[in-house]
Amino acid sequence: MELSQEGLAAAKETREAAARKRNEQAAAADAREREPKHEDKKAKPTPRVLPPVSHEVAFPANFDRGKTKLDPAKYGTFEKPHIGPQQERAKQYPFTLDPFQETAVACLERRESVLVSAHTSAGKTVVAEYAIAMAFRDKQRVIYTSPLKALSNQKFRELSEEFGDVGLMTGDVSLNPNANCIVMTTEILRSMIYRGSELMREVAWVVFDEIHYMQDRERGVVWEETIIFLPDECKMVFLSATLANASEFAHWIAHLHSQPCHVVYTDYRPTPLQHYAYALGGSGMHMILDERGIFRSEAFAKVRATFQMEGPDAQGGKDGGNPEPADGPAGRGRGGRGDRGRGGRGRGGGRGGHQDKGGPKEVGSILNAIKKMNWEPAIFFAFSRKECELYAGSLKTFDFNPNPDDKASVNEVFNNAVQCLSEEDRALPPIEKILPMLQRGIGVHHSGLLPILKEVIEILFQEGLIKVLFATETFAMGLNMPARTVVFTALRKWDGIQNRLMSSGEYIQMSGRAGRRGKDDKGICIMMVTEDVDETAARAMCMGKPSPLLSSFRLSYYTMLNMLRRLEGGDSSMEYVIKHSFQQFQQERQMPQVEAQLAEVESQMASLGKEGEDAIKDYLKLRSQIAEQSNVIRHVVLQPQHSLQFLRAGRIVSVQDGQTDWGYGVIVSVMRRGGGGATGAASGDGNSNGVPLDGYIADTLLVCNSASLVAGEPVPAKLGESGAEMVVVPMALELVASISALRISIPPDLRPADARRSVLLQLQDVVRKYPDAPPRLDPVEDMGIEDPVLLEAASKIEALESQLASNPVFQAERDQVKFKAFAQRAALAERAETLRTALRSSYLSAFKEEAKQRTAVLKRLGHVDEEGVVLLKGQAACEIDTADELLTAELMFNGTLIGLDKHQLVALVSCLIPVEKSGEAIKLTQVMAEPLASLQETARYIAEVSRECKLEMDPDSYVESFRPFLMDIMYSWSKGASFAEICGITDIYEGSIIRATRRLDELLQQLSRAARVVGDEGLASHIEDANLTIRRDIIFAASLYI
């Protein structure tokens, strides 16, 4: 980070300008409070309602409570902690603490770890501040970790103002690293632990903010490893949104570190919420959930009714209407495309014209209502950065800052902030274009913005100078910036796999931004509802339970190499890490229950006696062998050259995903992964062109439980079952279990619920007509397949079925009474075997096998020797956690980096940094073509070695993961191009370029350290010189929070 005196001074002036505005507002409010009031002498003060709080303690096994020598009068007990009246507190607050805060700080005074689980804006930060105050009082060191660098910068500023001696370490910034309190990202803390930093010996407390980030698929493992390897002497404070399994997490902590861990939980909202539904394509905005938590079914029915009244071509009223609470009209807008990925159909994308998100017209209509009701400030959540900008840019006629003083304050904050930029950077289009919008009290916040603009917008929003903010989901993570109103422009999001409804946990997190404590009597949530969201889905979303905290533990080479390097000093092996992971702990806690279930099943089997046991075994064996050969036939039948021409829109198929039977579904289309033609409209052989079976996705109408769609994990439902709904689910083609000879007609537009319901009714009619099973396509007679593998499998099935015909159990299949006894015993035997398998298997054994395979890779690549001792290449890889450690180390050791000049080196290393896909063509110069080819060849070699060591890896996908989208940009930037010039050669967002460049800077620093570890001072200096070429101007402008 560019920490020049000029940059820091500009940042300080920006904060002071904002503070002056805040003080002016506070003075005005204080003056109003001091005005004489005509008080009713008879009026009694309203008693403070104490919010409910749940408290429990998790103890490690065999914990001796008698060893805890604390005076109950001063500190209370484990079950009832409290701070005695004579006990001096580490920090005083100018307000009365809520019960959950009081309980939590009492646990801290007992020097015991605590997990605080509460809604957004409930006041969890009070607990963290108290732990820091205790550390200062007791002259101890405390670490505050956060999941995001931006959040770390904010916390650094807040804590510096409160405590003074505070440091910051985020990878690209290091300020006052010897402070009593250090704010850092969790990755930095993990790195310090692995390196055996002396600092860790002095740490008494570690605060983990946003601990629910531990379930992040990519980075969650960092939290898990850090918690596992923290010294047992450290006490921990975990801050989290509401969790369904907070107690389980606390028991894991107690088990790990042999210390009690308290759980302080409250689902109390300081500011109650009212939830409104706004009908897209219909009319009306109705309160569907009041502040008492009562769902109004009749109100939601009115929302649903408007869709039917308006019809498919309705415009919802003049100019989109003016939706006010109760019965105001709404409007219809443009749907627009999703943020990323291939659109599905039905609930996930559709082929028709029905929208699944609000357009500018709807946003304008809702804003009119918000202004009329004085519900500002408002946050509009959208799941696309482009949509945020589209909505904000469409509000040309809105001005939420009519007061000239507010406009002047915006100008002052904005101009002070950009003073740290060069004159050329101040003239950048994103900077010049945004000021008029900010002056009108409208802002945008997403990851593609210039960081300095994001921070200006955050400051203006905090100071009440932005009244309407369009933001992506990340704004709800960590940033303590509530509003009075939250609006959801869409209820569906693309999660990287599918376009699904928000889960209740996600809705709770974002809706928690509504309602400012001490300012609003209630918060307002408005959801833009589409026709396919029924009451079950809406109810589950806004009344559902919080999501449980799930482990995202996975093995990485970085972890393995650091573990092997630590072996000299203790028992820290990979097995130790796996065994102590949260995932393994969760499974082991279920074992007693599994053992009890097995004992019960075995008892039931014993009561049935042994009659027919051998016949059942033979029956099951024959059925298994027939299923095995049937699977061979199915695999041949599904080969694209055989199946695609039959998998047309409307074809009935049965679907099986492992043990999950989805029953019958209806094909919509089949597409190649990553694009390609759809067989629903194609002809001939489906244009397979040798594409393998796993290269196709089948969009299939399946019968799902509607409530499960809210959680984003569809669950099959039976035909005719209550809550059953037909939904288009993208699935792998290999999940098709059988292809029926029947096809039914499907509507061209599958978005409307009625259209999908018509398909469901047709399917029910087919199943009623063929109670055993609809007729299947014969592979030979109907499909004309003459594959010898298929013919041999068919012959084997014929022989097996002949043996099966003489089996007593099979013969009893038609006798329901006789067969019931056999079936009962067979079901019990199958259940018993399943339970035994669960007891035998564990994540430990699975991960141990993976660790064995990964160790083989490390040996093949020369990172460790046969005894597991980390070699020079492995020591270099231990320094790399910003990019793929294997490929980075390999490029160092195979000489690829040595022959490059500093500009080429920067450009090539940028390929290791993940970045969003660009639509611009890569304009590779001749000087970069050869290094890129070397990188790709090295990546392919690593992938091939991994496959030979029995790891599942697709070489093509691995090579393609190192995208050269930044090469041109970084090469030009390193050569001295301006930021405006590099933005002109790509369609990647400006903020994404800056974020990627800062991560590149971090990687180059790690590469330099790695070169010194192996003793190559020349390469280390060359890398440092290369790094200096990118550390300039707006990309490394000082944060306004520092």
Side-chain angles (χ1 to χ4, degrees):
M1 187 72 74
E2 189 63 49
L3 299 178
S4 65
Q5 293 301 316
E6 295 82 359
L8 293 174
K12 181 180 179 183
E13 180 58 33
T14 303
R15 295 193 301 271
E16 289 176 350
R20 285 195 293 272
K21 173 66 178 175
R22 187 190 315 122
N23 293 336
E24 290 169 4
Q25 291 175 334
D30 186 58
R32 287 193 298 270
E33 283 292 320
R34 294 174 183 275
E35 291 178 358
K37 295 183 176 67
H38 299 285
E39 297 182 358
D40 184 356
K41 294 183 179 180
K42 295 182 180 180
K44 296 181 180 179
T46 303
R48 181 171 183 252
V49 179
L50 297 179
V53 59
S54 169
H55 169 256
E56 64 174 293
V57 195
F59 294 102
N62 304 317
F63 179 71
D64 185 359
R65 298 169 60 133
K67 289 186 177 180
T68 304
K69 306 295 184 182
L70 292 174
D71 184 353
K74 293 181 178 180
Y75 303 104
T77 63
F78 282 114
E79 285 74 19
K80 294 185 178 181
H82 73 267
I83 302 175
Q86 305 304 317
Q87 188 75 3
E88 183 180 353
R89 295 187 176 228
K91 179 177 173 59
Q92 298 292 334
Y93 294 92
F95 51 84
T96 303
L97 297 184
D98 283 342
F100 87 90
Q101 295 168 329
E102 184 67 41
T103 302
V105 300
C107 296
L108 298 181
E109 285 288 6
R110 291 179 55 85
R111 308 302 195 276
E112 289 158 1
S113 297
V114 61
L115 164 64
V116 181
S117 180
H119 281 300
T120 303
S121 304
K124 298 186 289 290
T125 303
V126 164
V127 183
E129 290 176 348
Y130 197 89
I132 295 169
M134 283 179 56
F136 275 83
R137 180 192 67 188
D138 301 335
K139 295 180 172 53
Q140 297 171 322
R141 200 182 292 273
V142 58
I143 289 176
Y144 189 109
T145 74
S146 77
L148 306 171
K149 289 181 181 179
L151 184 56
S152 295
N153 293 341
Q154 288 180 332
K155 285 298 178 184
F156 167 74
R157 173 51 45 198
E158 292 174 12
L159 297 176
S160 294
E161 292 173 352
E162 178 72 23
F163 297 101
D165 188 20
V166 178
L168 176 66
M169 297 174 70
T170 62
D172 53 4
V173 176
S174 181
L175 293 174
N176 196 14
N178 295 314
N180 264 17
C181 173
I182 307 176
V183 180
M184 62 179 65
T185 56
T186 316
E187 280 85 355
I188 296 293
L189 178 56
R190 179 182 69 164
S191 179
M192 289 172 59
I193 292 172
Y194 280 153
R195 292 176 185 171
S197 170
E198 288 295 321
L199 182 74
M200 294 307 302
R201 300 178 185 274
E202 305 169 14
V203 175
W205 292 93
V206 177
V207 179
F208 289 93
D209 198 359
E210 306 285 348
I211 189 60
H212 50 272
Y213 217 90
M214 194 175 90
Q215 61 191 2
D216 180 78
R217 282 184 296 186
E218 295 299 321
R219 298 173 58 214
V221 64
V222 177
W223 275 256
E224 212 157 330
E225 291 177 16
T226 303
I227 292 169
I228 289 171
F229 287 110
L230 271 178
D232 289 343
E233 298 75 28
C234 277
K235 299 299 182 283
M236 290 154 280
V237 180
F238 303 100
L239 307 181
S240 173
T242 49
L243 296 173
N245 61 337
S247 176
E248 183 178 47
F249 180 83
H251 278 89
W252 176 56
I253 298 300
H255 166 73
L256 269 181
H257 294 289
S258 302
Q259 57 174 268
C261 182
H262 296 259
V263 180
V264 180
Y265 180 96
T266 180
D267 58 4
Y268 167 75
R269 287 191 182 275
T271 307
L273 302 184
Q274 291 179 344
H275 302 257
Y276 290 82
Y278 173 97
L280 282 176
S283 62
M285 185 164 76
H286 304 266
M287 187 194 297
I288 60 171
L289 184 68
D290 64 23
E291 60 269 37
R292 296 169 297 169
I294 298 174
F295 192 89
R296 300 183 173 184
S297 296
E298 70 285 356
F300 194 82
K302 290 180 181 178
V303 175
R304 298 284 300 168
T306 60
F307 294 123
Q308 299 169 8
M309 288 189 296
E310 294 293 333
D313 299 317
Q315 295 301 312
K318 184 178 179 180
D319 296 326
N322 184 21
E324 298 175 15
D327 296 307
R332 173 179 292 281
R334 297 187 303 276
R337 67 177 180 81
D339 192 13
R340 288 259 175 228
R342 179 178 61 82
R345 285 171 172 70
R347 295 182 72 94
R351 298 186 291 176
H354 288 259
Q355 64 194 92
D356 59 1
K357 60 179 72 71
K361 187 182 294 184
E362 284 84 1
V363 168
S365 298
I366 288 181
L367 273 175
N368 281 324
I370 287 174
K371 285 191 75 172
K372 186 170 184 178
M373 301 300 296
N374 294 318
W375 281 353
E376 308 103 318
I379 301 171
F380 282 71
F381 280 116
F383 293 117
S384 161
R385 296 177 295 188
K386 289 183 179 178
E387 285 166 20
C388 288
E389 296 184 354
L390 171 68
Y391 298 144
S394 69
L395 304 179
K396 305 292 186 186
T397 60
F398 284 85
D399 188 352
F400 293 92
N401 282 336
N403 189 330
D405 290 342
D406 286 345
K407 284 183 168 60
S409 296
V410 170
N411 287 337
E412 183 180 7
V413 172
F414 184 87
N415 291 328
N416 283 323
V418 299
Q419 284 307 306
C420 63
L421 303 180
S422 67
E423 186 174 344
E424 184 178 19
D425 286 339
R426 289 200 293 271
L428 285 168
I431 292 178
E432 289 188 331
K433 289 180 180 178
I434 203 169
L435 181 57
M437 187 168 68
L438 299 179
Q439 290 171 333
R440 291 184 286 113
I442 301 168
V444 174
H445 192 284
H446 60 68
S447 61
L449 278 184
L450 292 168
I452 193 168
L453 292 184
K454 281 176 66 177
E455 292 180 346
V456 167
I457 288 167
E458 289 164 7
I459 291 171
L460 293 175
F461 187 78
Q462 286 176 307
E463 303 307 325
L465 295 170
I466 285 181
K467 309 299 194 302
V468 177
L469 183 67
F470 295 91
T472 52
E473 188 176 2
T474 52
F475 190 77
M477 286 292 295
L479 304 173
N480 185 24
M481 297 182 189
R484 181 165 191 187
T485 301
V486 162
V487 181
F488 295 92
T489 62
L491 299 181
R492 296 189 169 280
K493 60 176 287 188
W494 176 257
D495 62 4
I497 299 174
Q498 60 180 331
N499 206 348
R500 60 169 176 81
L501 281 174
M502 278 190 295
S503 69
S504 57
E506 290 165 336
Y507 183 85
I508 289 170
Q509 177 79 19
M510 287 185 273
S511 64
R513 290 299 173 209
R516 298 163 297 172
R517 186 169 191 172
K519 293 184 178 180
D520 302 321
D521 58 342
K522 60 182 177 294
I524 305 297
C525 292
I526 303 171
M527 57 171 76
M528 294 189 181
V529 178
T530 49
E531 187 176 357
D532 60 347
V533 177
D534 59 17
E535 181 180 332
T536 304
R539 186 188 287 266
M541 189 181 299
C542 56
M543 296 184 68
K545 294 182 179 179
S547 303
L549 181 61
L550 303 176
S551 173
S552 294
F553 183 80
R554 58 183 173 83
L555 293 177
S556 71
Y557 290 110
Y558 176 83
T559 301
M560 293 183 66
L561 287 166
N562 276 282
M563 289 300 93
L564 291 169
R565 193 168 61 169
R566 285 170 59 106
L567 278 174
E568 300 171 4
D571 62 349
S572 300
S573 65
M574 277 314 299
E575 185 170 336
Y576 177 87
V577 184
I578 299 165
K579 187 177 180 180
H580 288 80
S581 69
F582 188 42
Q583 200 170 53
Q584 180 67 17
F585 177 78
Q586 287 176 310
Q587 187 187 48
E588 288 180 356
R589 286 197 85 192
Q590 296 172 355
M591 287 300 105
Q593 182 181 353
V594 175
E595 289 171 349
Q597 290 175 355
L598 178 59
E600 174 64 23
V601 170
E602 289 176 337
S603 173
Q604 292 178 29
M605 289 176 64
S607 68
L608 293 175
K610 294 183 175 291
E611 184 181 354
E613 191 169 319
D614 291 339
I616 291 172
K617 287 181 180 178
D618 289 340
Y619 175 82
L620 294 174
K621 182 180 178 181
L622 289 167
R623 283 291 191 195
S624 176
Q625 291 173 333
I626 291 171
E628 186 179 323
Q629 294 304 314
S630 297
N631 198 45
V632 172
I633 293 176
R634 185 184 66 85
H635 185 74
V636 174
V637 167
L638 288 180
Q639 291 305 309
Q641 66 270 28
H642 299 146
S643 63
L644 292 191
Q645 59 184 310
F646 295 96
L647 294 175
R648 302 297 177 188
R651 177 73 65 184
I652 297 175
V653 295
S654 65
V655 179
Q656 184 87 23
D657 183 4
Q659 298 298 314
T660 305
D661 183 5
W662 285 87
Y664 292 105
V666 180
I667 293 289
V668 177
S669 68
V670 180
M671 291 184 175
R672 273 185 261 168
R673 292 182 187 269
T679 65
S683 60
D685 64 355
N687 193 24
S688 61
N689 290 332
V691 179
L693 180 59
D694 60 5
Y696 287 89
I697 291 290
D699 280 347
T700 311
L701 277 161
L702 295 174
V703 184
C704 301
N705 181 293
S706 58
S708 70
L709 300 173
V710 179
E713 297 180 2
V715 171
K718 294 181 180 179
L719 283 168
E721 183 179 283
S722 175
E725 180 179 349
M726 207 130 205
V727 179
V728 174
V729 178
M731 65 173 196
L733 181 57
E734 57 260 38
L735 299 186
V736 173
S738 67
I739 304 175
S740 168
L742 305 178
R743 285 177 66 187
I744 58 178
S745 62
I746 61 174
D749 180 2
L750 288 170
R751 286 180 186 259
D754 286 343
R756 299 193 308 277
R757 197 174 299 116
S758 70
V759 180
L760 179 63
L761 293 173
Q762 289 184 72
L763 188 59
Q764 286 175 332
D765 289 340
V766 169
V767 172
R768 273 195 296 267
K769 186 175 180 180
Y770 301 98
D772 291 335
R776 297 182 181 183
L777 284 175
D778 185 281
V780 178
E781 298 295 330
D782 298 324
M783 301 178 71
I785 302 173
E786 298 180 354
D787 191 299
V789 174
L790 182 146
L791 298 175
E792 182 183 354
S795 177
K796 288 181 179 179
I797 288 177
E798 188 176 347
L800 290 168
E801 287 180 340
S802 176
Q803 295 178 49
L804 186 64
S806 61
N807 184 278
V809 181
F810 177 77
Q811 292 171 353
E813 281 185 351
R814 297 291 181 181
D815 185 340
Q816 291 187 359
V817 176
K818 193 173 181 181
F819 184 73
K820 185 177 180 181
F822 285 124
Q824 187 178 5
R825 170 175 284 282
L828 288 171
E830 186 177 0
R831 175 65 177 155
E833 185 56 35
T834 300
L835 293 170
R836 292 190 192 100
T837 301
L839 288 172
R840 286 194 300 268
S841 64
S842 69
Y843 291 115
L844 179 61
S845 59
F847 277 128
K848 281 174 70 175
E849 181 62 26
E850 184 185 346
K852 181 180 177 182
Q853 295 162 347
R854 286 180 177 267
T855 302
V857 173
L858 291 175
K859 290 178 180 178
R860 284 279 304 275
L861 296 177
H863 290 267
V864 300
D865 64 16
E866 290 301 321
E867 283 71 41
V869 176
V870 180
L871 302 176
L872 210 56
K873 187 188 286 187
Q875 292 176 25
C878 283
E879 300 296 321
I880 311 296
D881 70 351
T882 305
D884 186 288
E885 51 279 281
L886 293 190
L887 180 55
T888 306
E890 209 65 35
L891 294 174
M892 277 186 60
F893 277 76
N894 68 9
T896 300
L897 302 182
I898 295 174
L900 304 177
D901 67 30
K902 54 189 178 184
H903 311 300
Q904 292 172 316
L905 190 148
V906 164
L908 183 67
V909 174
S910 73
C911 296
L912 303 173
I913 301 297
V915 69
E916 65 198 56
K917 188 173 182 179
S918 169
E920 299 291 325
I922 305 299
K923 304 178 185 67
L924 275 181
T925 59
Q926 187 61 38
V927 293
M928 291 309 305
E930 188 175 336
L932 178 60
S934 177
L935 181 149
Q936 292 172 335
E937 182 182 341
T938 304
R940 188 168 296 279
Y941 169 69
I942 292 172
E944 294 294 350
V945 168
S946 300
R947 289 186 69 176
E948 290 169 13
C949 294
K950 300 181 180 179
L951 277 174
E952 290 187 13
M953 181 178 287
D954 177 23
D956 290 337
S957 298
Y958 182 68
V959 172
E960 289 168 8
S961 67
F962 304 104
R963 299 170 171 175
F965 297 131
L966 287 174
M967 282 188 75
D968 295 342
I969 301 170
M970 288 299 101
Y971 188 78
S972 299
W973 180 251
S974 177
K975 297 273 285 185
S978 69
F979 190 71
E981 288 172 337
I982 66 170
C983 289
I985 63 175
T986 182
D987 57 357
I988 298 175
Y989 276 99
E990 296 89 351
S992 300
I993 294 174
I994 291 179
R995 190 168 56 253
T997 308
R998 289 178 178 175
R999 188 165 178 177
L1000 174 60
D1001 166 64
E1002 197 173 338
L1003 175 57
L1004 289 168
Q1005 292 182 50
Q1006 293 176 355
L1007 263 173
S1008 176
R1009 288 198 299 268
R1012 285 200 164 85
V1013 164
V1014 302
D1016 194 337
E1017 283 292 333
L1019 180 59
S1021 298
H1022 184 51
I1023 294 170
E1024 288 172 352
D1025 290 343
N1027 198 14
L1028 289 175
T1029 66
I1030 65 172
R1031 292 182 58 85
R1032 61 183 173 85
D1033 298 343
I1034 191 172
I1035 290 183
F1036 288 89
S1039 167
L1040 301 180
Y1041 294 113
I1042 296 178

